[in-house]
Amino acid sequence: QHSHFAPIQRFSMFGTTRDLLEMALTPESMARVARHAGARIPQAFVVGKKKQGEDLGRQLGFPVIVRAMYGSSSLGTSLCYNTQELQRAIDVALSVSPIDQVVIEKSLAGWRRTEWEVLRDQRDAIRHVGSVEYLEPLGVHSADSPAVAPAQSLTPEERQRAMNLVQTVVRRLQLVGTVTVQLAHGTAPNDIAVVSVTPYVTRTSLWCARVSGVPLVEWHTRLCGGTLLAELEPPSEPHGDELFAPRPP
């Protein structure tokens, strides 16, 4: 079986295994996990050739997202509204992808966007640390949008469904340490999609760490090294946006 990580097989991984990391970052694998959790992800394809990317982008219908596979942060990510923008975006994404592959993804521009930060240990205990909601909808880069923590616009039922979905996805992927899950929320109450799963420290991780008082970078490192969540001391003043979810029976 071909691995997107073939060029870096010589490096060892700390915490989450190479196979699980690849699963979390590959659209086909994420689609299976999302369906199992009762959600979906935007339709997407992984390509290595410009012409193939152009054809699939037009097939999906504009707007589409182009992003570099395993690129650094948002480098190589573009929102495209026409063929000319798509062509330029594929060129850039291919040039910065360490494996010369890009993702062509149907955009959910206009949907509400939330991000959820959770911790999971090797015995499958999970702690919900916090959430962030961006005031600008999908289609505006998160770095250019004001945001609030915790998420504000969700009803209690929507919030609980989002937390359950995040928990299911992280457990299904067997990720260890801190994980950021980005969700998109449509106009219908149950219209929810998994946009991305990032199994390492992100900008959202640092924000939620500051809001909650949880030292996420330290805890992520310790969890990856085998420490259990029950062995980590919670902050002295717990916040209402936290929920500890032990392994189900």
Side-chain angles (χ1 to χ4, degrees), residues 14-192:
F14 180 65
T16 297
T17 66
R18 184 179 291 107
D19 290 342
L20 293 176
L21 180 61
E22 182 173 8
M23 183 183 297
L25 299 176
T26 303
E28 295 89 344
S29 300
M30 276 305 307
R32 290 193 294 270
V33 171
R35 284 195 297 268
H36 179 269
R40 63 187 181 93
I41 69 169
Q43 188 177 5
F45 301 96
V46 177
V47 300
K49 301 294 184 182
K50 181 177 180 179
K51 180 62 166 61
Q52 183 184 16
E54 293 175 13
D55 292 342
L56 289 173
R58 285 191 289 266
Q59 175 183 322
L60 287 173
F62 295 107
V64 296
I65 300 288
V66 177
R67 54 186 171 87
M69 283 289 286
Y70 311 122
S72 174
S73 185
S74 59
L75 188 65
T77 300
S78 302
L79 177 60
C80 307
Y81 287 92
N82 55 56
T83 300
Q84 290 73 28
E85 292 178 353
L86 176 62
Q87 292 170 339
R88 289 194 297 269
I90 294 174
D91 284 337
V92 172
L94 284 172
S95 70
V96 301
S97 170
I99 61 170
D100 300 318
Q101 291 184 333
V102 302
V103 176
I104 312 293
E105 179 180 285
K106 178 63 179 174
S107 172
L108 298 179
W111 287 38
R112 289 178 296 162
R113 169 178 46 185
T114 62
E115 292 188 358
W116 304 77
E117 197 69 26
V118 298
L119 291 160
R120 178 182 177 272
D121 66 21
Q122 295 179 359
R123 290 190 180 175
D124 205 24
I126 283 184
R127 183 191 189 97
H128 287 261
V129 178
S131 61
V132 171
E133 181 171 2
Y134 291 93
L135 303 188
E136 302 283 356
L138 280 170
V140 176
H141 193 281
S142 58
D144 299 323
S145 173
V148 294
Q152 298 292 309
S153 72
L154 303 181
T155 66
E157 293 77 15
E158 290 174 325
R159 177 183 174 80
Q160 189 60 53
R161 183 165 187 264
M163 294 175 71
N164 292 343
L165 171 59
V166 168
Q167 180 176 307
T168 300
V169 167
V170 172
R171 280 185 163 138
R172 184 76 172 177
L173 291 171
Q174 301 178 51
L175 300 172
V176 172
T178 190
V179 185
T180 304
V181 181
Q182 184 177 129
L183 303 179
H185 306 265
T187 54
N190 293 326
D191 205 358
I192 188 170

